[in-house]
Amino acid sequence: MTQSSLPSNPFVAAGMIEDSRLFVGRREELQAMVSRMTGTQPTSINIYGEKRIGKSSLLYHFFLTWEQRVQNPSRYVVIYLSLRNVQCQTETQFYQAIAQELLKFPNVNNNQVLSNFLQVANLDRSAFSDGMKQWKKQGVLPVLCLDDFQTLFDNKSEFDNGFYENLRSLMDSNTLMLIIACYKKLDFYSKKYKFTSSFFNLGHVIKLVALPEDEVKDLLRLPAKDNNNLQPALSMDEQSFTQQLGLNHPFLLQIAGGLVCEARQHGHNKEWVKKHFADQSKRLPSHRNSQGWKRQVRWLVWDLPMRLGKAPKFIGNTLDDISNWILGLVIIFMMMLVIAGVLNWNQVWDFIRNSLGLK
């Protein structure tokens, strides 16, 4: 891998990361996926998390790199399939989409025992299950990385409890392993759509959250995350500025890093970066909502108490900021008690005078 083969701006904020050289972090999650796949009894996994936290990138990166992570790759076949991007309106189409991905592997396509059933024109539930059982007899475990799994739930008439029970049966018999990505835990959808299948109680659940500090540092050093012969796209000052904007969120860091690179290339200043970051970060709904929420919380627990705490200064009392804040919080609490009828206003003023040492 040479630096010239990589983009000058290595930050990806336009969707799933498809170049494994630009994927950073999620070491614990990847190790968990490998251990559940290679254990004595394979355990299916439900990966969930908010939009743009990196679920698709994680599944696709695992699909690209799984052969380097296991000791005996011939025992497995791993596919990646986004259910949002394929035609899966019926159960048969679901099985056919999986079959098409499995057949892309030469060791599957060239093995008649593994491939014959995959080439059936109308691959139904029974044929799919029987075929997977033949795979088990051959000692091969298909691992299906199914992204955007929640898209199936709206079509309950086609993907009913029987469909999910059949998948669960194949999983329980170690015939099939699923790694499913969706916004919420599967049991959330079970309750929402009133499914009764035990499928929705998968053996292992992984919640994707913000990156730990060491993985943030790796991301900021792209494309030199694991190659000391390459130079990071960002200087140390630019890395610090990028983290100030994106904090530990992978998508926000990608946006910020990309903008900082662009600003340097075109001679823009930090204010330009901040302005465009504010606009682009709105693509992350939780971030947009959290900004208003954070402002409200700050006003309630800091600004308002500080102003109330400073109000008594007109009588000559001098308080530092921390004292003002504590006194203001107490005043707010006492005002709530007045509204609730527990205290009266005279008691509040008595407290303020006593706090100030006034008689």
Side-chain angles (χ1 to χ4, degrees), residues 68-109:
Q68 292 82 54
R69 299 176 184 277
V70 299
Q71 292 184 348
N72 189 357
S74 63
R75 294 179 51 200
Y76 310 95
V77 175
V78 179
I79 68 167
Y80 169 85
L81 185 64
S82 171
L83 299 182
R84 186 184 301 278
N85 297 331
V86 297
Q87 184 69 18
C88 280
Q89 299 303 312
T90 68
E91 186 175 350
T92 298
Q93 289 175 339
F94 172 82
Y95 299 132
Q96 288 175 333
I98 291 173
Q100 290 173 9
E101 295 302 318
L102 291 172
L103 285 169
K104 291 179 180 179
F105 286 81
N107 62 332
V108 174
N109 204 12

Side-chain angles (χ1 to χ4, degrees), residues 278 281-282 285-305 307:
S281 63
K282 293 176 183 177
S286 61
H287 178 71
R288 181 175 65 248
N289 295 336
S290 69
Q291 296 309 300
W293 173 249
K294 288 177 182 177
R295 285 193 294 269
Q296 294 177 25
V297 170
R298 176 182 172 81
W299 180 84
L300 180 62
V301 303
W302 182 262
D303 294 341
L304 180 59
R307 292 177 184 179

